[in-house]
Amino acid sequence: MPDLPLETSNIIFELRNVTHQFGSLAAVRDVTLQIRAGERVALVGPSGAGKSTLISLLNGTLSSSQGEVWVLGQHLARLSPRGLRHVQRQIGTIYQQFHLVNNLRVIHNVNAGHLGRWTFLKGVISLAWPLDVDTAAKALAQVGIPEKIYERTDRLSGGQQQRVAIARVLVQQPQAILADEPVSSLDPERSREIMSLLRDLSQTTGKTLVVSLHDIDLARSHCDRIVGLREGQVVFDRPADEVNETFIRALYKITA
């Protein structure tokens, strides 16, 4: 099948009968899925359901054992390493562990979003004399902590550190944002704040958002579509307002 122009297909991510195995264990099994531009999609399911593996397939850090993964109209398995990096620069990923360098100032962590475009030399220079300060300041303002730009990252709260990770992705200027359990280490109030921030950023910028969550209520209140996964397979794929207790009980095998 030829590559489809994004402007006509409107499909950001597509999995076609995708399986990924870790040895003899199939973490994702025969998954077929399409995610279109501007959608906010939650991946939910019990631990070990394959949510993180699916995120890694979508951003190209894992390759499928079987089937096809298409991102931005490109079949990832057919791309050269350079072509894959080009696609990956257009996909921003936010992780549960934040992946920040704690002993650096906030601006340096935010500027890491430039590294796919900057030369190695420019990156080194920016560690001594921060570059593109205005861009970093704008991103930090978008996530609500502009005053933290020169703070040491390890002096921030967990919620503030997650905001720095989101600002780093904004600087990257991706077409889509993947968030792998972005609130699992935060308390309920901070979790709602971060999910509201991600939802609002998606709404205002039009960026596609795919987020894996354990909290079903957050998925229903902040996303417009929910994909339920269990044992690496899609159990349901429904609009958020249609995912009722019957779906949740079936997903988690709740009998009582």
Side-chain angles (χ1 to χ4, degrees):
M1 179 175 177
D3 293 2
L4 296 175
L6 182 60
E7 61 271 20
T8 58
S9 72
N10 204 33
I11 297 172
I12 301 292
F13 300 107
E14 183 172 11
L15 303 182
R16 302 177 184 174
N17 304 112
V18 167
T19 293
H20 181 80
Q21 292 190 214
F22 294 103
S24 60
L25 173 65
V28 169
R29 293 190 292 163
D30 196 30
V31 170
T32 294
L33 186 68
Q34 287 186 346
I35 298 173
R36 296 183 177 275
E39 283 194 288
R40 295 186 303 280
V41 180
L43 308 176
V44 302
S47 296
K51 301 185 297 293
S52 293
T53 300
L54 192 54
I55 292 284
S56 295
L57 288 165
L58 295 178
N59 67 17
T61 57
L62 286 179
S63 301
S64 61
S65 304
Q66 299 175 29
E68 300 178 1
V69 180
W70 291 70
V71 178
L72 299 173
Q74 300 292 317
H75 184 188
L76 296 190
R78 296 178 184 169
L79 295 176
S80 65
R82 182 177 181 181
L84 178 60
R85 289 193 298 271
H86 176 72
V87 171
Q88 288 174 322
R89 283 198 296 270
Q90 299 175 72
I91 306 299
T93 305
I94 300 163
Y95 295 95
Q96 173 184 349
Q97 299 84 3
F98 309 152
H99 288 189
L100 302 173
V101 182
N102 285 328
N103 62 349
L104 291 181
R105 298 186 186 278
V106 166
I107 188 169
H108 298 306
N109 277 294
V110 174
N111 274 347
H114 290 295
L115 293 182
R117 297 186 298 272
W118 281 0
T119 64
F120 175 77
L121 179 59
K122 188 171 182 179
V124 171
I125 291 172
S126 186
L127 286 174
W129 298 279
L131 304 175
D132 285 3
V133 174
D134 289 346
T135 301
K138 180 180 178 181
L140 288 167
Q142 284 182 274
V143 301
I145 54 169
E147 73 284 358
K148 301 296 184 181
I149 188 167
Y150 293 115
E151 192 85 34
R152 265 181 59 120
T153 304
D154 55 7
R155 295 176 181 168
L156 304 183
S157 68
Q160 289 171 335
Q161 289 186 15
Q162 188 60 290
R163 289 172 184 265
V164 172
I166 295 170
R168 178 182 58 197
V169 165
L170 292 177
V171 164
Q172 185 181 335
Q173 298 180 343
Q175 293 196 38
I177 296 174
L178 305 176
D180 187 11
E181 298 288 356
V183 299
S184 63
S185 61
L186 305 178
D187 62 64
E189 184 177 353
R190 299 290 88 74
S191 295
R192 286 190 295 273
E193 288 179 0
I194 293 299
M195 281 305 302
S196 294
L197 174 60
L198 289 172
R199 177 197 59 200
D200 294 347
L201 288 171
S202 174
Q203 287 177 330
T204 57
T205 66
K207 296 183 190 301
T208 303
L209 174 66
V210 182
V211 55
S212 63
L213 293 167
H214 279 292
D215 190 318
I216 299 296
D217 289 335
L218 280 179
R220 286 192 283 209
S221 59
H222 290 77
C223 297
D224 47 34
R225 178 179 163 199
I226 300 179
V227 177
L229 295 166
R230 187 179 65 237
E231 297 177 351
Q233 294 183 301
V234 174
V235 177
F236 63 80
D237 182 353
R238 312 285 295 187
D241 58 6
E242 293 182 6
V243 178
N244 55 33
E245 292 307 310
T246 300
F247 285 101
I248 301 308
R249 287 178 177 275
L251 179 65
Y252 290 93
K253 294 186 176 179
I254 300 171
T255 57

